[in-house]
């Protein structure tokens, strides 16, 4: 196997072949069966050190030129989808990619897509306070209905980021915990 890709940031077992990186892009889009932004593709492939950032960008450009993937606009963002040609190539050649690489990339992509969906469907508003702290307001929606609107004061930006992260990681858990506390 000839290695022709930059390997900076690549973990052992990651991809060092440009062909493999292009194949993983198509495989990933085929497997999640949903359009993704270029940033999501990049993040999914870099999270476990599967491919180099610059190589992923180049792979996306080449796949667009060859008609294996296409771009569109969804929710105001440019997203990438696999074409029938790219899907066919991914199905034919997917076994040439290590199973662990395929699994890591797909799992990472699903996590990122789930997080993006949660961020789109729920609202977080931050207001700076005069004393240097912040008031953060979380609004949890279910099919357009507000299930919960919660405002919390935090003392600094570190606590603010941690509280936001924990809410986005599992907003239903936050809601359930509050409901349970109030009803038991």
């Amino acid at each position: 196997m000839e290695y022709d890709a930059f390997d900076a940031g690549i973990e052992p077992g990651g991809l060092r072949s440009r062909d493999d990186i292009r194949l993983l892009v198509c495989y990933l889009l085929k497997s999640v069966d949903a359009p993704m932004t270029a940033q999501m593709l990049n993040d999914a492939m870099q999270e476990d050190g599967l491919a180099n950032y610059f190589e992923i960008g180049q792979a996306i450009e080449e796949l667009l030129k060859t008609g294996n993937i296409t771009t569109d606009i969804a929710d105001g963002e440019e997203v990438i989808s696999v074409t029938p040609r790219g899907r066919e190539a991914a199905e034919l050649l997917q076994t040439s990619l290590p199973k662990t690489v395929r699994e890591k990339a797909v799992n990472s992509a699903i996590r990122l897509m789930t997080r993006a969906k949660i961020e789109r469907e729920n609202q977080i508003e931050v207001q700076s306070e005069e004393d240097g702290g912040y008031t953060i307001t979380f609004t949890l929606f279910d099919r357009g209905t507000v299930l919960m609107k919660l405002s919390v004061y935090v003392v600094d930006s570190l606590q603010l980021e941690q509280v936001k992260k924990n809410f986005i990681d599992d907003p239903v858990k936050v809601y359930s915990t509050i409901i349970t506390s109030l009803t038991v």
Side-chain angles (χ1 to χ4, degrees), residues 6 42 49 63 70 85 88 104-105 110 118 139 142 144 151 157 179:
F6 293 119
N42 241 309
L63 290 166
T70 186
R85 177 182 176 161
E88 184 179 326
K104 285 178 181 179
I110 290 169
I118 289 169
T139 308
D142 182 29
S151 293
S157 60
I179 290 295

Side-chain angles (χ1 to χ4, degrees), residues 106-184:
V106 170
N107 289 337
S108 197
I110 290 169
R111 270 193 311 278
L112 290 166
M113 292 173 73
T114 301
R115 184 176 185 90
K117 182 177 188 258
I118 289 169
E119 288 175 358
R120 272 193 318 274
E121 292 177 351
N122 298 289
Q123 222 172 42
I124 299 176
E125 297 172 1
V126 177
Q127 180 181 336
S128 297
E129 300 297 340
E130 290 179 15
D131 66 358
Y134 302 89
T135 298
I136 183 167
T137 302
F138 303 100
T139 308
L140 179 65
F141 294 94
D142 182 29
R143 292 181 224 129
T145 301
V146 175
L147 292 179
M148 175 184 74
K149 189 165 191 164
L150 172 68
S151 293
V152 179
Y153 176 82
V154 295
V155 295
D156 59 29
S157 60
L158 291 174
Q159 191 177 28
L160 171 71
E161 292 307 315
Q162 188 62 47
V163 168
K164 283 171 49 177
K165 179 194 174 303
N166 288 343
F167 176 77
I168 291 298
D169 283 349
D170 196 351
V172 173
K173 179 182 177 185
V174 173
Y175 176 75
S176 298
T177 301
I178 291 171
I179 290 295
T180 301
S181 296
L182 293 172
T183 57
V184 175

Side-chain angles (χ1 to χ4, degrees), residues 48-97:
D48 293 311
L50 300 178
N52 175 280
Y53 174 86
F54 299 105
E55 294 292 347
I56 297 165
Q58 186 170 348
I60 290 170
E61 283 182 36
E62 290 171 7
L63 290 166
L64 283 167
K65 286 178 188 172
T66 58
N68 288 289
I69 61 175
T70 186
T71 60
D72 200 3
I73 302 294
D75 296 325
E77 286 187 300
E78 183 177 67
V79 292
I80 300 170
S81 300
V82 67
T83 63
R85 177 182 176 161
R87 183 177 298 275
E88 184 179 326
E91 287 170 0
L92 263 143
L93 301 171
Q94 71 187 15
T95 55
S96 69
L97 293 172

Side-chain angles (χ1 to χ4, degrees), residues 15 19-34 36 41 44-45 50 63 68-69 81-83 85-107 109-110:
L15 303 178
D19 288 339
D20 286 348
I21 295 167
R22 285 189 296 268
L23 178 57
L24 184 58
V25 169
C26 290
Y27 176 81
L28 197 50
L29 289 167
K30 174 193 85 73
S31 296
V32 298
D33 199 28
M36 297 176 68
L41 276 168
M45 294 172 69
L50 300 178
L63 290 166
N68 288 289
I69 61 175
S81 300
V82 67
T83 63
R85 177 182 176 161
R87 183 177 298 275
E88 184 179 326
E91 287 170 0
L92 263 143
L93 301 171
Q94 71 187 15
T95 55
S96 69
L97 293 172
K99 183 178 181 185
T100 56
V101 167
R102 293 181 308 211
E103 288 175 351
K104 285 178 181 179
V106 170
N107 289 337
I110 290 169

